[in-house]
Amino acid sequence: MRYYFDFLLAVVLTSLSYFVGSCLFSNGLSLLHAFIIGSAVVLLGAVTEAIKAPMWLIILVPFPVGMIILFIFLDEPVQIWFITYLMILAIYSVIHVFLSFFFKFHSLIPAWKLSK
């Protein structure tokens, strides 16, 4: 049951970073679009981890999916999309570092165990 809670929390936090990041630089995504992207990114990362893929692949696989879906939903020129994506990564990084440091929670792949 703990894994499902962590998975849902990872989806919510990833979706939040997409929503806030898109609102800061462009017209913004709807909450539904941000949730779809967050769900896809976290699910793909979790599936990649579950099939025992190497660490570099687990880290690499979700990025292009999030980028492509964001480009489709954002419907902005490439420059705006790219800057928006960089903003999203910055917000996600802050959320990730905060949760990792204070709560020992990996906010992208819930199954990953953090060192103590």
Side-chain angles (χ1 to χ4, degrees):
M1 190 65 177
R2 173 75 183 175
Y3 180 82
Y4 296 112
F5 174 77
D6 288 350
F7 183 86
L8 183 60
L9 183 58
V11 168
V12 168
L13 294 172
T14 304
S15 301
L16 179 67
S17 66
Y18 273 90
F19 180 73
V20 172
S22 69
C23 287
L24 290 177
F25 196 74
S26 66
N27 292 334
L29 296 171
S30 69
L31 282 173
L32 177 62
H33 285 156
F35 185 75
I36 290 169
I37 297 172
S39 298
V41 168
V42 173
L43 181 61
L44 188 57
V47 167
T48 307
E49 186 273 334
I51 62 171
K52 308 281 191 253
M55 183 67 67
W56 65 270
L57 192 58
I58 295 170
I59 294 168
L60 181 67
V61 166
F63 281 102
V65 171
M67 293 172 80
I68 291 168
I69 299 172
L70 177 66
F71 185 74
I72 292 167
F73 285 157
L74 201 56
D75 194 31
E76 295 281 352
V78 173
Q79 299 87 347
I80 303 293
W81 162 78
F82 184 71
I83 294 171
T84 301
Y85 191 73
L86 291 178
M87 182 71 62
I88 290 165
L89 284 179
I91 292 168
Y92 176 80
S93 297
V94 168
I95 291 170
H96 177 73
V97 167
F98 178 79
L99 289 173
S100 295
F101 183 77
F102 289 108
F103 300 106
K104 305 293 184 229
F105 176 74
H106 191 291
S107 56
L108 179 59
I109 313 294
W112 282 0
K113 304 297 181 218
L114 296 175
S115 60
K116 296 180 183 188

